[in-house]
Amino acid sequence: MTVNDFLAGSVAGAAGIFFGYPLDTVKTRLQTSSSYSGIIQCVGKVLKTEGVLGMYKGVTAPCLFAGIQHSLLFAGYATTLHLMHPGEAHVEARKDLPLAEIMFASFIGSIPQLVPSIPVEAVKTRLQFQTEGYASASARFHGPWDCARKMWKAEGIRAIYRGGNVMAVRDCFGNLFYLPVYETLHRFLKNQGSNTTAAQLIAGGCAGSVSWLSICPLEVIKSRIQIADTPRSTLAVGREILAAEGWRAFYKGGLSMVLRGFPVNAIIFLVYEQCLLFMEKEKTAS
């Protein structure tokens, strides 16, 4: 069961990250810079000054590791449910489980994926914050590996795990909405007569949008910590944002997060569920 979840999560995660990466770049720019007034202006400015590649700064590392992150999340989720209900293996059996069990399994599944996701997020955020062209000689970082190497050289392991405490809270809290919203809405849509593909797309998209909106303030603080030249505490950054920019600043980039969250997670859940069903059919056929 967990092997299938691991493989399905890997394919789904990579597909979702690549599809939604431009809006993720916009989200980071809006959260960390005052140079942009909104989504449209940010997209236009990035495309004009940096081209299409500017929208995909730092995409290599997330695409390579997104599969690992999502596979660990889904495998941890499935393993927890499997331990709670031994012998029940098929993916569709989860649709009838109590919401409290789904929330608990989601929380547990969030923990193992933090190990690879924190350094990947740190590198990605640094690269997205750069406003120079990707091939510019003056660019501080020339791709994810150069970024990671320079970060490690400057501060060691602390640099690539900076903001990890905020991310841990962010992911554990956000996933309390992510999988439970998906499972609940999927049940509802199926009961209303919706076909499987439509239910997976709509439920997955709504789950992504809701979970990202729920953690927007933590995401803003995390991004500010990860782009800072010196280590900053979560509390200090939060107070600084509130004092200088007001509470609205905690929702900077929120619209882009919600807009990105729907199609990305619609794809993730569709690919994930379809991969699981495919592997189940292959197993049965053999």
Side-chain angles (χ1 to χ4, degrees):
M1 170 57 121
T2 54
V3 173
N4 286 358
D5 282 279
F6 191 90
L7 293 173
S10 180
V11 175
I17 285 292
F18 186 81
F19 183 82
Y21 200 81
L23 275 174
D24 189 61
T25 298
V26 171
K27 177 267 298 179
T28 300
R29 294 288 182 92
L30 290 173
Q31 290 177 340
T32 57
S33 175
S34 59
S35 302
Y36 310 103
S37 59
I39 295 174
I40 303 299
Q41 189 263 351
C42 181
V43 171
K45 190 171 183 178
V46 172
L47 289 175
K48 182 178 179 180
T49 59
E50 304 169 50
V52 176
L53 289 180
M55 303 297 294
Y56 281 91
K57 279 186 174 180
V59 71
T60 306
C63 271
L64 289 175
F65 289 99
I68 297 175
Q69 295 170 33
H70 281 82
S71 57
L72 288 172
L73 170 62
F74 285 122
Y77 170 66
T79 300
T80 304
L81 291 178
H82 181 65
L83 291 173
M84 296 170 72
H85 298 276
E88 195 63 76
H90 197 274
V91 61
E92 291 302 320
R94 298 175 194 171
K95 308 307 177 195
D96 298 321
L97 295 178
L99 184 60
E101 293 184 2
I102 292 173
M103 292 180 71
F104 176 73
S106 301
F107 179 83
I108 298 300
S110 303
I111 298 172
Q113 58 91 33
L114 287 169
V115 177
S117 67
I118 294 172
V120 169
E121 188 81 4
V123 170
K124 173 180 73 69
T125 302
R126 286 287 187 97
L127 287 169
Q128 289 175 327
F129 181 65
Q130 286 193 144
T131 56
E132 297 90 352
Y134 206 55
S136 170
S138 62
R140 183 180 178 187
F141 304 119
H142 301 273
W145 311 116
D146 179 61
C147 179
R149 180 180 61 82
K150 288 178 178 177
M151 288 171 66
W152 183 280
K153 184 177 180 181
E155 299 178 48
I157 195 171
R158 289 184 178 181
I160 61 172
Y161 275 91
R162 185 188 292 178
N165 57 340
V166 185
M167 276 193 66
V169 176
R170 182 199 74 171
D171 287 2
C172 289
F173 181 77
N175 284 333
L176 289 177
F177 292 89
Y178 188 51
L179 290 163
V181 168
Y182 173 77
E183 297 289 4
T184 301
L185 189 53
H186 187 277
R187 291 181 195 178
F188 173 78
L189 292 170
K190 291 290 288 181
N191 290 335
Q192 296 300 309
S194 177
N195 67 63
T196 300
T197 300
Q200 290 166 351
L201 287 170
I202 295 171
C206 289
S209 293
V210 170
S211 63
W212 274 111
L213 182 61
S214 72
I215 60 172
C216 190
L218 291 170
E219 177 68 11
V220 172
I221 293 173
K222 184 273 303 178
S223 295
R224 299 288 182 96
I225 290 173
Q226 289 181 330
I227 66 164
D229 293 327
T230 57
R232 306 287 306 282
S233 73
T234 302
L235 188 58
V237 172
R239 285 175 172 173
E240 183 181 280
I241 293 172
L242 185 61
E245 305 172 57
W247 67 269
R248 292 179 183 272
F250 289 110
Y251 285 91
K252 276 188 174 181
L255 180 58
S256 65
M257 290 169 68
V258 171
L259 292 176
R260 171 186 175 272
F262 193 95
V264 167
N265 289 282
I267 289 173
I268 286 175
F269 276 104
L270 177 65
V271 173
Y272 170 68
E273 295 274 28
Q274 293 300 319
C275 283
L276 279 179
L277 291 173
F278 174 78
M279 287 185 282
E280 286 290 336
K281 289 179 181 178
E282 288 294 308
K283 182 179 179 181
T284 303
S286 61

